[in-house]
């Protein structure tokens, strides 16, 4: 203890004092010791980290210029360029089996925000179940603020919950409101959005969103408070918008076998540039040592440009490889191309350039953020996700303690409704109109080319039973929703 020398000297000094002074000094010393090791329960122990979550739109697993799986060269694009996302991957950890909760955007976004499967949340039922003041579980910002009330949260960009629920009603301090795809288009589509492209210096509002995100980061850093920033980009959802210079660059580049559209490539490159500005600002602000940056897509890329109607067909039926090859399918379907997406994290304690083979999914993000912020890694009742902080801290090795380890998916669509279960390396897809099931071994057949259901009927039956049991427990209406007497109205695909 400074000013008192050794312990023996300190004891002699106490003995030489009168009793009243001795008692006062002992009480003071005890107060210093207790004060240094304990704080009132209502005060945060230390400033928790900042968390930045970048959610891209319709970006496939193979839509990066670096591979999402270093053991699978085809998992990198043969045409697109994403130097800044590649930089994020090199600085942190990439997940070879990172999954979106759904094959389309709205159920994915809802799932991430509350840490639940889209099956549990429902589709048509969601607006009523999750209305303000209802019984909905806490959202990401509400959980973080319960851990440390100093957190400030912003949601910028696309919200698209298809419900009367805006970000401020679930704990965000700043947002763009109830935004959807149209809010990100600076140009009104006059022709076919799959064939046309539009030139602008702020494509899909990438520049505007990036500037506002940086301003939010600067403000919270200046105030010395932790922040959660969710930057939900409108890109790369069509319509296709890009800068003239970017379009010129890709128009001159040799086309790839899977990827060749210069306007879409330009839009992706412009998005990547905005992401690079976020990474740069984290460095400029000096907050890299206590900031985590997550990136994932809301679903896979569209299987072809323009898309096809027979998207559930076997890949052998098409003359050209799908854009998500070696994965099968794309947006709108529950094959791997529709749900396996770019998924990576960088931040303190994460080994640079590491790769994790353990499956993770969007509904794992909320409990992961909670643990990073100092909360419990154990999920609350009614959640489906589990924290994967152990994977981040141990070079991709460790447990993810979810209530249920299997992943459950459902495609809410009256035209081709189907559900899926992923259990380890086994995947079963159940088609509701025909009752047909397909079984795949994802370890040896990433492209889902060989249906094993007739070779291993026992496994197929067991997985189908688990899938139906989960649906029966959490959304039993789905079991009867696709009968002839009860056909849900088919909505136009987005």
């Amino acid at each position: 203890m400074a000013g008192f020398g050794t312990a023996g000297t300190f004891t002699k000094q106490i003995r030489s004092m009168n009793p009243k002074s001795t008692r006062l000094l002992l009480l003071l010393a005890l107060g210093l010791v207790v004060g240094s090791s304990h704080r009132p329960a209502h005060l945060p122990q230390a400033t928790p980290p900042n968390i930045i979550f970048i959610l891209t739109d319709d970006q496939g697993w193979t839509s990066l210029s670096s591979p999402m799986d270093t053991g699978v060269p085809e998992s990198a694009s043969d045409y697109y360029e994403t130097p800044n996302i590649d930089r994020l991957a090199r600085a942190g950890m990439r997940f070879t089996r990172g999954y979106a909760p759904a094959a389309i955007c709205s159920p994915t976004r809802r799932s991430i925000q509350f840490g639940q499967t889209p099956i549990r949340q429902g589709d048509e039922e969601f607006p009523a179940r999750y209305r303000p003041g209802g019984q909905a579980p806490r959202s990401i910002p509400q959980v973080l603020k319960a851990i440390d009330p100093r957190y400030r949260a912003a949601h910028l960009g696309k919200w698209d919950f298809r419900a009367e629920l805006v970000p401020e009603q679930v704990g965000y301090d700043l947002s763009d409101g109830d935004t959807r795809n149209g809010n990100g288009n600076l140009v009104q589509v006059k022709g076919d959005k799959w064939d046309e492209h539009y030139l602008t210096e702020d494509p899909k509002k990438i520049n505007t969103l990036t500037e506002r995100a940086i301003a939010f980061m600067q403000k919270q850093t200046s105030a010395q408070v932790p922040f959660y920033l969710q930057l939900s980009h409108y890109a790369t959802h069509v319509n296709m918008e890009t800068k003239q210079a970017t379009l010129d660059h890709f128009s001159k580049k040799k086309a790839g076998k899977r990827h060749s559209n210069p306007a879409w490539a330009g839009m992706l490159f412009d998005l990547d540039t905005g992401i690079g500005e976020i990474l740069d600002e984290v460095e400029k602000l000096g907050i890299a040592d206590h900031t985590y940056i997550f990136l994932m897509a809301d679903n896979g890329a569209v299987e072809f440009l323009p898309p096809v109607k027979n998207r559930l067909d076997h890949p052998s039926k098409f003359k050209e490889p799908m854009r998500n090859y070696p994965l099968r399918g794309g947006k709108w379907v529950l094959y791997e191309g529709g749900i396996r997406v770019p998924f990576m994290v960088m931040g303190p304690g994460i080994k640079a350039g590491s790769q994790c083979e353990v499956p993770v999914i969007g509904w794992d993000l909320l409990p992961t953020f909670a643990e990073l912020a100092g909360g419990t890694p154990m999920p609350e009742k009614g959640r489906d996700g589990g924290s994967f902080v152990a994977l981040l801290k141990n070079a991709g090795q460790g447990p993810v303690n979810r209530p249920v380890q299997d992943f459950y998916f459902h495609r809410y669509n009256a035209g081709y409704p189907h559900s899926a279960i992923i259990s380890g390396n086994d995947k079963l897809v159940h088609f509701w109109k025909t009752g047909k099931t397909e079984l795949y071994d994802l370890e040896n057949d990433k492209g889902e080319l060989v249906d094993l259901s007739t070779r291993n009927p026992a496994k197929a039956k067991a997985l189908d039973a688990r899938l139906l049991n989960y649906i029966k427990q959490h959304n039993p209406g789905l079991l009867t929703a696709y009968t002839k007497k009860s056909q849900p109205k088919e909505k136009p695909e987005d």
Side-chain angles (χ1 to χ4, degrees), residues 81-337:
E81 299 176 19
T82 55
N84 292 294
I85 299 178
D86 299 347
R87 167 182 156 203
L88 197 164
R90 288 195 305 271
M93 179 180 295
R94 73 190 79 199
F95 290 82
T96 63
R97 293 184 62 190
Y99 288 95
I104 54 172
C105 61
S106 293
T108 282
R109 294 164 193 273
R110 299 165 174 172
S111 170
I112 289 171
Q113 204 60 231
F114 297 105
Q116 298 176 308
T117 67
I119 290 175
R120 182 192 291 271
Q121 292 182 326
D123 188 39
E124 298 291 347
E125 314 94 322
F126 181 88
R129 291 179 180 175
Y130 291 78
R131 62 181 181 272
Q135 299 300 311
R138 293 183 298 174
S139 65
I140 290 172
Q142 289 169 335
V143 167
L144 293 177
K145 290 180 179 183
I147 294 169
D148 193 315
R150 292 174 293 178
Y151 264 107
R152 291 295 173 264
H155 185 283
L156 302 178
K158 180 177 171 179
W159 181 247
D160 206 7
F161 270 35
R162 310 290 168 109
E164 295 182 6
L165 190 67
V166 298
E168 282 80 1
Q169 291 171 320
V170 295
Y172 286 97
D173 303 293
L174 173 69
S175 85
D176 293 334
D178 186 12
T179 49
R180 301 187 182 186
N181 293 317
N183 297 93
N185 296 334
L186 293 181
V187 181
Q188 294 298 318
V189 177
K190 296 180 180 179
D192 187 339
K193 67 179 181 179
W194 300 106
D195 293 323
E196 300 292 335
H197 66 266
Y198 305 91
L199 298 175
T200 170
E201 287 305 300
D202 190 12
K204 309 299 286 189
K205 296 189 178 178
I206 293 165
N207 296 0
T208 300
L209 290 173
T210 301
E211 289 171 3
R212 296 185 64 228
I214 288 174
F216 175 79
M217 293 161 58
Q218 292 172 338
K219 182 177 180 180
Q220 310 319 315
T221 301
S222 178
Q224 297 184 326
V225 297
F227 64 82
Y228 172 72
L229 168 63
Q230 182 166 334
L231 183 52
S232 298
H233 277 286
Y234 298 100
T236 55
H237 193 288
V238 295
N239 53 293
M240 287 177 275
E241 298 179 0
T242 186
K243 298 180 180 181
Q244 179 70 66
T246 318
L247 180 66
D248 291 344
H249 170 77
F250 285 100
S251 295
K252 298 173 183 176
K253 186 174 181 178
K254 181 181 178 181
K257 292 182 178 180
R258 289 171 293 150
H259 304 147
S260 59
N261 188 300
W264 201 94
M267 179 168 58
L268 175 61
F269 185 85
D270 295 334
L271 168 64
D272 181 84
T273 300
I275 291 171
E277 292 178 18
I278 297 294
L279 301 183
D280 291 343
E281 189 64 26
V282 169
E283 294 293 337
K284 290 177 184 177
L285 291 173
I287 59 175
D289 64 343
H290 59 283
T291 299
Y292 291 90
I293 303 176
F294 292 71
L295 181 142
M296 70 169 286
D298 64 347
N299 48 251
V302 175
E303 76 285 339
F304 291 108
L305 289 176
V308 295
K309 293 294 184 181
N310 56 328
R311 57 182 61 104
L312 287 167
D313 280 359
H314 193 276
S316 62
K317 298 290 183 67
F318 302 101
K319 295 181 180 179
E320 300 176 355
M322 292 182 168
R323 294 173 70 225
N324 297 306
Y325 176 86
L327 304 184
R328 177 177 177 176
K331 179 180 179 178
W332 301 303
V333 302
L334 296 178
Y335 291 121
E336 292 291 285

Side-chain angles (χ1 to χ4, degrees), residues 62-82:
T62 63
S63 295
L64 304 176
S65 47
S66 64
M68 267 310 303
D69 185 337
T70 56
V72 182
E74 299 91 347
S75 65
S77 174
D78 56 7
Y79 182 67
Y80 303 144
E81 299 176 19
T82 55

Side-chain angles (χ1 to χ4, degrees), residues 101 119 333-336 339 363 406-411 417-423 426-432 438 448 463-464 466-468 470-471:
I119 290 175
V333 302
L334 296 178
Y335 291 121
E336 292 291 285
I339 53 177
W363 57 72
D406 297 336
F407 293 166
Y408 295 93
F409 304 88
H410 181 71
R411 175 69 170 101
H418 57 294
S419 305
I421 175 176
I422 295 178
S423 181
D426 296 319
K427 178 177 180 180
L428 180 129
V429 185
H430 179 109
F431 295 91
W432 286 89
E438 297 174 355
E448 297 167 290
L463 286 172
D464 195 40
R466 296 224 302 262
L467 172 61
L468 298 182
Y470 181 86
I471 294 173

Side-chain angles (χ1 to χ4, degrees), residues 26-87:
L26 286 172
L27 287 172
L28 176 61
L30 180 62
L32 288 172
V33 172
V34 172
S36 66
S37 59
H38 299 282
R39 301 182 70 181
H42 65 280
L43 293 178
Q45 291 293 320
T47 301
N50 306 309
I51 300 171
I52 299 172
F53 174 40
I54 301 170
L55 184 63
T56 64
D57 198 309
D58 291 3
Q59 184 185 6
W61 192 66
T62 63
S63 295
L64 304 176
S65 47
S66 64
M68 267 310 303
D69 185 337
T70 56
V72 182
E74 299 91 347
S75 65
S77 174
D78 56 7
Y79 182 67
Y80 303 144
E81 299 176 19
T82 55
N84 292 294
I85 299 178
D86 299 347
R87 167 182 156 203

Side-chain angles (χ1 to χ4, degrees), residues 382-403:
R383 307 280 193 196
D384 293 288
S387 170
F388 55 85
V389 169
L391 299 176
L392 300 178
K393 299 296 186 182
N394 296 290
Q397 304 297 316
V400 181
N401 294 316
R402 302 181 190 89

